[in-house]
Structure formats: structure tokens, C-alpha cells
Amino acid sequence: MKFVDVEQARTLPGLRLVLTTGVPGPWGEAAKGILRVKRLPYVAVRQEGGGENAALAAWTNQTSAPVAVWNDEPPRSTSLGILFLAERLAPTPPLIPDDPEDRARMFGFCHEIIGEQGLGWSRRLMMLHPILAAAGDAAPAGVRRLAVKYGYGADAAEAAPRRVVAILRMLAAQLERQRLAGRRFLVGTHLTALDVYWATFAAMLDPLPAEQCPMPAGLRMLYAATGSVRDALDPALLAHRDSVYREYLELPVDCTDDG
Ligand SMILES: N[C@@H](CCC(=O)N[C@@H](CS)C(=O)NCC(=O)O)C(=O)O
């Protein structure tokens, strides 16, 4: 896909979405998915994963991706901030349930997938762990930056698989409850942001095949879950991921930087 630099993006009106280039980062892919479902066009802006991203810091006061910026409004650098902005710019189709109980349930599950100490957060600690345990301070600067930013510690990393397993079991049970009620989505009766988050974060457990989601071979290996986490990955959750991608998201996933 086409990207512009932060410096150029700052001069443009409309919707700009900052994304890590070259890797299907689940937070970024989820933001892309939400904008796609809502048919909101945007200009993609480069972020370097693990990089210094000084221009991004000057613009948005932080260095992670994704960030959505609408005209002169304050940048939205949290996933839920991006979701609420998208919901406001394109209320249809809604990705947040109208029913308050469904909504509370949806945001609870969302946090378990995208939030601090959630599924993505914990998988990231698991990926950083072998590199940092082996290399420590000699690990590449990008890896050390991510470690500081995202709460890496050996204890947290060692506790992470148990958290991931528990979250996966909870999601599988929720999907099964919905199936028994004759519903195909994770909450309520239509697609919500939760289905999009699940579909995109499943990349960190069982990446889509290379023809549907090209990515560096080393990252694919790191993303693919093994052991207890792999065992906790219910095939019904993966089938749900596949159907969300097939019907609502872009395939093949495109995150390569075509300039
Ligand atoms: N702030 C986001 C989370 C964003 C996030 O964790 N981004 C990571 C994805 S791995 C990132 O940009 N990492 C690359 C970097 O920090 O350079 C949220 O609230 O959901």
C-alpha cells in the first residue's frame, strides 16, 4: 500500500492513519479493518516498528501505531479512540452495540484482546522473551525499545502464556454460547469491533497463510503459537476469524510499503 511520511501527512486534511510498515501488526490491522467496514478513506502514514519515530512523537506526543488523525482534531492513539472516531465519522454500519449490556460485554472482551495485559500484550511479551533472555542489553535497540514501552519483565513474560490460554478459553466459550443462541458473532446479533479485533489479533496465534497475509518469515515463526497456547486455540475461533476476513476485511492483507 501507499504510505506518506509524517511530515507530509501533517499538511494534509481529512483522515490519516499511522501504521507500522511491513508487518501486519494486529492493532494496526484492526484499525484498517474498522475503517474498511465503515468505508472511510484515509491516507496511510509510515511508522517504523521499534524505531525512534521522532516526527511522530512531535505530532502525536507518542511513538506507537496506530494513530488516527481527523483534520485538526487531537490525534487518537488508542484503539478505542480510533474506534469511537470511526463510529462518529461513519455511524453506519455500527461496530459498537446499541444495547448497553451487549456494549459493556463487548468492551470487556475487547480489553482482554487489545488492552494492557490482554491477549496481544501478552503474546508480545512472549515474543520478546527469548530474545531478551538470551541477549539482554545486547538485544537490538528496537527490541529494547519495545521492551521498555510495553512492560517487559521476565516474570510478566513467564506469566503471559497462562493469561493467553485463559483469554482464549473465555473467547471460545463466548462464541459457543452465541452459537447455541443461533448467533454467529462474538456479541449481539451483528458484526462488532470485537469480531474485527479477534480476527486481526488471531495473527499472533495462527497467521493466515502467506498468500493471504505475506509477512517476513521470522515474524511468521514468532507469531505462530506453540504448546499450551496452541492447544487452547479452538478451531471454531479460527473459523470465525476466517469468515470475518472473507466477508468484511481485505484479503490479501496488504502492509508492504510501496512508497
Ligand atoms: N496504543 C494502542 C496500542 C498500540 C500498540 O501496542 N502498538 C504497537 C504494536 S506492536 C506498536 O506500535 N509497536 C511498535 C512500536 O512501538 O514502535 C492501543 O491503545 O490499542
Side-chain angles (χ1 to χ4, degrees):
M1 64 194 290
K2 288 241 167 294
F3 285 90
V4 304
D5 287 327
V6 166
E7 289 79 359
Q8 191 188 345
R10 290 186 77 157
T11 68
L12 301 173
L15 188 58
R16 286 135 302 157
L17 183 66
V18 181
L19 296 163
T20 307
T21 57
V23 296
W27 286 269
E29 290 305 315
K32 282 162 69 181
I34 286 163
L35 299 186
R36 180 183 180 84
V37 169
K38 295 195 169 275
R39 299 181 201 288
L40 281 169
Y42 60 89
V43 171
V45 185
R46 277 188 195 92
Q47 186 258 14
E48 183 202 346
E52 196 183 338
N53 295 298
L56 183 61
W59 188 25
T60 68
N61 241 340
Q62 57 87 60
T63 57
S64 295
V67 188
V69 190
W70 172 243
N71 291 333
D72 294 330
E73 292 187 11
R76 266 72 177 181
S77 58
T78 67
S79 291
L80 295 186
I82 295 170
L83 171 62
F84 276 103
L85 174 66
E87 201 75 357
R88 190 187 96 214
L89 298 180
T92 310
L95 286 174
I96 299 176
D98 196 38
D99 175 77
E101 273 198 27
D102 279 347
R103 194 164 63 231
R105 207 170 287 124
M106 187 202 79
F107 280 123
F109 284 117
C110 284
H111 189 269
E112 293 304 312
I113 295 177
I114 67 176
E116 189 156 340
Q117 298 189 17
L119 178 75
W121 180 276
S122 304
R123 283 293 292 147
R124 184 165 52 203
L125 295 181
M126 290 171 69
M127 291 172 200
L128 294 172
H129 191 40
I131 308 170
L132 288 156
D137 289 347
V143 171
R144 280 184 283 123
R145 241 187 230 119
L146 296 180
V148 172
K149 219 167 163 182
Y150 300 121
Y152 174 80
D155 289 354
E158 275 155 25
R162 224 165 21 85
R163 289 192 80 87
V164 174
V165 166
I167 293 168
L168 286 175
R169 293 210 173 115
M170 178 192 66
L171 289 171
Q174 172 64 11
L175 189 63
E176 176 62 7
R177 261 194 304 277
Q178 287 282 96
R179 191 186 68 80
L180 292 173
R183 296 166 163 194
R184 53 171 297 218
F185 299 105
L186 273 163
V187 161
T189 53
H190 63 268
L191 183 84
T192 69
L194 176 59
D195 299 293
V196 176
Y197 291 132
W198 163 249
T200 50
F201 278 70
M204 292 174 110
L205 299 155
D206 180 40
L208 288 167
E211 61 280 10
Q212 290 183 345
C213 184
M215 69 176 89
L219 183 68
R220 177 172 291 280
M221 241 171 59
L222 275 179
Y223 266 9
T226 56
S228 60
V229 172
R230 175 74 233 180
D231 294 346
L233 191 50
D234 189 321
L237 281 174
L238 289 177
H240 185 54
R241 179 269 302 268
D242 293 344
S243 75
V244 171
Y245 261 102
R246 220 172 23 244
E247 289 176 51
Y248 301 100
L249 305 181
E250 183 184 32
L251 282 176
V253 173
D254 182 10
C255 53
T256 46
D257 188 346
D258 299 325

